[in-house]
């Protein structure tokens, strides 16, 4: 039987020829969102709402929700049934490893992960249609940071923990966005598949996984093999909770790499909306945050940070993709490409100076929380996720 392929996707035949069954699953995933969460947001909750019902069930269990519809019961049957493969000690080890490098993680999630994702106009259309990442890139980034703060915490992804609850809320946000876009009449399903499909959800997990890890290592971070494996284990479970099907959920580094390759292979390239997003993200959030780390007056640090950020983006995603996004070029990228070994040596010296790993890790968690509170104040963000935003 002939497969339906979104009209604007490119190289579909190459994807199947090169990647076989995974290529088929990637193309099929473009037509699938999140059936469990999509059913919940489509249901009738009377005087309440899907969002309020999900929050109540997260806090008190599904039986605490009066007259819970079958859609909600099915979602929480899935959420309450933790897979046998989940190892919370490994999740905690992953959180510790990432939080010890909070400043670098925050930088690469913007300059590498989000910019890499911006190279695909189909994937970027939901962002363009909702408009929040171009109009409010700093606020949106703080919301993502708040979610990460709870996920990257010891015990954060246990059933009764905040990271788990935040991840389920993100899952519902995605379902609401998907429903709203389809109802708007502005979505061409034959050309683009469904909004926020399984295939692009998989790429999002890779953005937090391998893309971020690779960029951190370019900046001198050195994870052990165990830490890297545990980081991928963490994102496998986050993917499960956030609505990834087993067909495309990423289990190990090799899965991340294959999904990144398929994303780039089948992408029609970026649109002007994607370029506008990168400009807004860089100017309104990434440059100010990098400037906060540099000594000197604001005018000097902003100017230096802009040059450095453009160079970092080119190092992280490569010149060809940076050209497509019209990221300014310059010689600083050549210096930044060679900085990793020097920074790795600095990190090694720090490890020797402060051998008490547990104490260093606890200080990193405290520093991360202080940094988040500073960003919330700087960008005047009083809510946690967009489902609690005043507007």
């Amino acid at each position: 039987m002939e497969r339906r392929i979104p009209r604007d996707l490119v190289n579909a035949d190459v994807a199947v020829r090169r990647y076989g069954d995974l290529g088929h699953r990637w193309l099929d995933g473009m037509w699938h969102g999140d059936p469990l969460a999509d059913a919940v947001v489509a249901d009738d909750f009377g005087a309440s709402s899907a969002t309020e019902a999900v929050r109540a069930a997260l806090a008190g269990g599904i039986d605490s929700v009066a007259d819970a519809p079958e859609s909600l019961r099915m979602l929480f049957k899935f959420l309450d049934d933790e897979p046998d493969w989940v190892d919370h000690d490994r999740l905690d080890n992953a959180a510790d490893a990432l939080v010890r490098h909070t400043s670098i993680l925050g930088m690469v999630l913007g300059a590498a992960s989000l910019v890499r994702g911006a190279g695909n106009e189909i994937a970027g259309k939901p962002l363009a249609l909702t408009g929040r990442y171009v109009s409010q890139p700093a606020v949106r980034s703080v919301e993502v940071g708040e979610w990460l703060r709870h996920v990257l915490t010891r015990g954060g992804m246990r059933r009764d923990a905040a990271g788990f609850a935040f991840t389920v809320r993100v899952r519902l946000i995605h379902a609401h966005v998907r429903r709203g876009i389809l109802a708007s009449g502005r979505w061409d399903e034959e050309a683009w598949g469904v909004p926020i499909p399984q295939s692009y959800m998989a790429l999002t997990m890779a953005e937090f996984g391998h893309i971020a890890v690779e960029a951190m290592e370019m900046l001198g971070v050195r994870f052990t093999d165990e830490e890297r494996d545990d980081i991928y284990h963490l994102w496998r479970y986050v993917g499960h909770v956030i609505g990834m099907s087993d067909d495309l959920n990423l289990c190990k580094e090799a899965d991340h790499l294959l999904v990144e390759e398929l994303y780039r292979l089948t992408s029609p390239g970026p649109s002007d909306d994607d370029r506008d997003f990168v400009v807004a993200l860089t100017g309104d959030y990434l440059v100010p945050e990098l400037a906060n780390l540099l000594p000197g007056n604001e005018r000097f640090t902003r100017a230096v940070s802009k040059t450095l950020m453009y160079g970092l983006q080119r190092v992280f995603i490569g010149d060809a993709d940076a050209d497509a996004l019209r990221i300014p070029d310059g010689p600083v990228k050549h210096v930044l490409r060679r900085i990793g070994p020097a920074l790795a040596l600095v990190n090694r010296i720090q490890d020797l100076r402060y051998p008490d790993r547990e104490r260093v890790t606890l200080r990193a968690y405290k520093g991360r929380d202080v940094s988040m509170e500073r960003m919330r104040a700087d960008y005047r963000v009083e809510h946690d996720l967009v489902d609690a935003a005043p507007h």
Side-chain angles (χ1 to χ4, degrees):
M1 186 176 73
E2 186 176 352
R3 278 183 161 82
R4 289 172 67 209
I5 298 170
R7 187 174 63 248
D8 287 358
L9 220 61
V10 302
N11 296 320
D13 55 338
V14 180
V16 171
R17 187 166 65 249
R18 188 178 297 173
Y19 296 94
D21 180 61
L22 177 59
H24 283 302
R25 283 184 277 134
W26 175 263
L27 297 174
D28 290 345
M30 294 294 297
W31 302 107
H32 299 288
D34 178 356
L36 290 176
D38 291 343
V40 171
V41 302
D43 219 328
D44 182 7
F45 287 84
S48 182
S49 69
T51 299
E52 292 173 355
V54 166
R55 289 192 185 189
L58 284 167
I62 188 63
D63 292 334
S64 68
V65 181
D67 300 319
E70 184 64 17
S71 63
L72 191 66
R73 292 190 176 278
M74 292 297 292
L75 174 63
F76 274 83
K77 180 180 179 182
F78 171 87
L79 292 171
D80 292 337
D81 184 17
E82 183 176 277
D84 293 339
W85 50 260
V86 178
D87 184 332
H88 285 279
D89 288 338
R90 293 183 66 189
L91 303 188
D92 291 349
N93 188 45
D96 289 353
L98 291 168
V99 170
R100 280 194 290 269
H101 305 283
T102 290
S103 295
I104 294 178
L105 174 62
M107 185 185 305
V108 303
L109 285 175
S113 300
L114 287 176
V115 176
R116 168 65 71 200
N120 184 330
E121 68 170 310
I122 302 175
K125 285 186 183 296
L127 282 177
L129 290 173
T130 58
R132 290 190 74 243
Y133 235 139
V134 172
S135 63
Q136 297 178 302
V139 173
R140 182 73 180 95
S141 296
V142 171
E143 290 167 355
V144 173
E146 193 64 40
W147 166 66
L148 272 178
R149 169 157 55 163
H150 295 286
V151 169
L152 299 183
T153 296
R154 292 175 181 176
M157 286 302 294
R158 291 189 179 275
R159 171 60 182 83
D160 59 349
F164 186 98
F166 268 65
T167 302
V168 176
R169 287 172 60 190
V170 171
R171 182 173 185 172
L172 261 288
I173 291 167
H174 289 168
H176 277 294
V177 170
R178 196 179 294 113
R179 177 175 170 80
I181 288 174
L182 289 172
S184 73
R186 301 166 67 191
W187 188 264
D188 186 343
E189 191 165 337
E190 289 304 311
W192 309 324
V194 302
I196 318 179
Q198 285 286 317
S199 303
Y200 294 161
M201 289 167 64
L203 189 277
T204 299
M205 293 299 101
E207 288 178 347
F208 288 102
H210 174 261
I211 294 174
V213 167
E214 180 182 55
M216 292 175 78
E217 293 183 338
M218 289 180 182
L219 295 181
V221 175
R222 294 294 180 263
F223 294 112
T224 66
D225 290 344
E226 180 183 18
E227 287 170 340
R228 287 169 67 95
D229 289 345
D230 290 347
I231 289 168
Y232 295 125
H233 186 73
L234 166 68
W235 293 115
R236 179 187 182 189
Y237 186 47
V238 172
H240 172 84
V241 175
I242 215 166
M244 287 296 309
S245 71
D246 290 341
D247 282 346
L248 284 174
N249 199 10
L250 313 180
C251 300
K252 55 189 182 299
E253 183 176 74
D255 299 330
H256 288 239
L257 288 165
L258 291 172
V259 159
E260 291 169 40
E261 292 169 9
L262 278 162
Y263 182 78
R264 295 182 68 189
L265 175 66
T266 58
S267 167
S271 67
D272 285 340
D273 288 325
D274 300 306
R275 298 181 187 100
D276 290 344
F277 157 66
V278 172
V279 169
L281 176 71
T282 303
D284 294 352
Y285 181 70
L286 295 177
V287 168
E289 287 304 304
L290 181 55
N292 279 328
L293 302 176
L294 303 179
N297 63 59
E298 182 177 353
R299 183 176 179 182
F300 169 78
T301 58
R302 286 292 181 101
V304 171
S305 295
K306 182 179 289 188
T307 300
L308 288 174
M309 187 53 63
Y310 291 147
L312 285 170
Q313 289 170 343
R314 283 189 164 267
V315 169
F316 292 147
I317 73 169
D319 283 326
D321 290 337
D323 287 343
L325 287 166
R326 298 177 189 159
I327 294 171
D329 203 351
V332 71
K333 68 185 181 186
H334 301 299
V335 177
L336 294 172
R337 284 185 178 127
R338 295 173 173 81
I339 202 171
L343 292 177
L345 179 59
V346 171
N347 288 334
R348 178 57 180 155
I349 292 172
Q350 288 291 93
D351 289 343
L352 293 174
R353 287 184 63 191
Y354 303 103
D356 188 341
R357 179 59 65 92
E358 176 67 9
R359 184 177 180 182
V360 169
T361 302
L362 293 177
R363 287 180 61 186
Y365 276 110
K366 291 180 181 178
R368 186 269 308 272
D369 292 343
V370 169
S371 179
M372 274 302 307
E373 292 306 316
R374 190 268 305 163
M375 285 192 291
R376 292 176 65 85
D378 284 355
Y379 300 109
R380 301 178 182 178
V381 181
E382 297 182 359
H383 60 280
D384 47 25
L385 298 180
V386 65
D387 61 357
H391 56 283

